[in-house]
Amino acid sequence: MRSTGTAVLVGCGALFGLSYVLVRDVVPATGPVGVTVVRTLIGGTVLLLAARAAGQRPRWRRWRSYLMLGALSAAVPFSLISLSMLSLNAGTAAVLNASSPLFALGFDVLQRRRRPGWGQLAGLALAIAGVSLAMASRGLHLGDGGAVGVPAGQAGAAVFAYGGFFAARHFPDEAPAALAAGQQLAACVLLAPALLLVPVRAAPTGGLVLRLAVLGVAGSALAYLLFYRLVAAEGPARAANVNLLVPLFGVLWGWALLSEPVPPVSVAGMAATVAGLFLVLRERPAAG
């Protein structure tokens, strides 16, 4: 991966990691559907304004494809991952989310009909082991909610991974800002009716509104703008590796914003994750 692509990957991971911390904070009050609707509405609106300012706009005549992309890349995985956080601790939820690159690798193998390299497999194994080690201090146990939380977290990771492939196949020439705007607004449209069945759990407060605004702008608008740039430049399989960085940045954001301790075992896990990610990214993707 080129240095520009690596910088975009790291920036995207940092923003998704921030969203991980914010979702964990607000989901008890808003519920999984509520937080997803609000963040996609804010993110989509910001992206639409940015795209129009740049002379771009989503191709709304392809609204069916946008609705499918919104479901695959935001509505379904956001809701499933938020649901997993209601029943699992932060460490377990993060490790489940980090399995997304494995699903992406599987989709890539099926699509290209080629076997992954040993370096790539070793790198993924090392990186996921590093994530598990880094999150060990947050606890890695299933508890009473494992029967719901684990399948929800795994399904969310798999759907998110496939969403990148859908975007690459159906929107190869769409500008990243326009694509991300359409995807976020489509996800909002899909999920908004569900609020009638699963209403927001608590009345909004100033602090809650502020956290949701940051989540929408940083964790949805900017993060997905970078993500679709990465998909266009590096392909969906390599873009999915951003999920390996999300738990690590979640730990760092927790330390920076919430004064959460970072024990030595977490530092060792971060180092192992970075080393594994290096092995994955140094292998050139096969043409297909």
Side-chain angles (χ1 to χ4, degrees):
M1 182 178 284
R2 297 181 296 272
S3 57
T4 302
T6 302
V8 173
L9 181 75
V10 172
C12 188
L15 291 170
F16 277 135
L18 177 61
S19 72
Y20 178 86
V21 173
L22 292 171
V23 168
R24 191 177 65 197
D25 187 39
V26 303
V27 72
T30 62
V33 176
V35 68
T36 305
V37 169
V38 173
R39 71 180 290 187
T40 52
L41 176 61
I42 295 172
T45 302
V46 170
L47 285 163
L48 186 61
L49 293 174
R52 288 190 171 183
Q56 307 165 5
R57 62 181 58 197
R59 301 172 187 175
W60 294 120
R61 66 182 181 275
R62 305 174 63 185
W63 60 272
R64 291 183 181 86
S65 294
Y66 269 117
L67 287 176
M68 181 60 72
L69 180 62
L72 292 171
S73 290
V76 173
F78 282 1
S79 297
L80 287 171
I81 292 169
S82 298
L83 176 62
S84 74
M85 290 184 185
L86 288 175
S87 55
L88 299 177
N89 58 41
T92 305
V95 172
L96 291 174
N97 186 54
S99 66
S100 184
L102 283 176
F103 288 108
L105 179 61
F107 296 141
D108 193 47
V109 168
L110 292 175
Q111 177 177 289
R112 298 175 185 270
R113 299 182 183 279
R114 67 178 181 88
R115 297 177 61 181
W118 289 109
Q120 188 176 19
L121 291 173
L124 277 175
L126 178 60
I128 293 176
V131 170
S132 301
L133 189 61
M135 301 306 295
S137 63
R138 265 69 176 171
L140 295 176
H141 55 84
L142 302 182
D144 296 333
V148 174
V150 171
Q154 288 279 267
V159 173
F160 181 85
Y162 182 72
F165 287 85
F166 185 89
R169 184 181 306 115
H170 292 274
F171 297 93
D173 301 321
E174 193 87 342
L179 176 59
Q183 173 252 13
Q184 291 284 288
L185 293 174
C188 181
V189 168
L190 285 171
L191 273 181
L195 286 176
L196 298 174
L197 301 175
V198 190
V200 174
R201 299 183 172 199
T205 63
L208 179 62
V209 170
L210 177 60
R211 291 192 292 273
L212 287 170
V214 174
L215 177 61
V217 174
S220 289
L222 294 178
Y224 271 95
L225 178 61
L226 293 180
F227 179 73
Y228 285 124
R229 282 189 60 184
L230 200 59
V231 169
E234 301 291 342
R238 290 164 79 80
N241 288 304
V242 71
N243 285 283
L244 293 170
L245 295 175
V246 172
L248 308 191
F249 277 107
V251 172
L252 293 176
W253 283 118
W255 168 75
L257 300 178
L258 306 175
S259 299
E260 295 179 351
V262 182
V265 66
S266 293
V267 176
M270 292 180 189
T273 301
V274 172
L277 189 57
F278 174 77
L279 289 176
V280 173
L281 297 181
R282 71 192 295 265
E283 183 171 312
R284 291 182 174 273

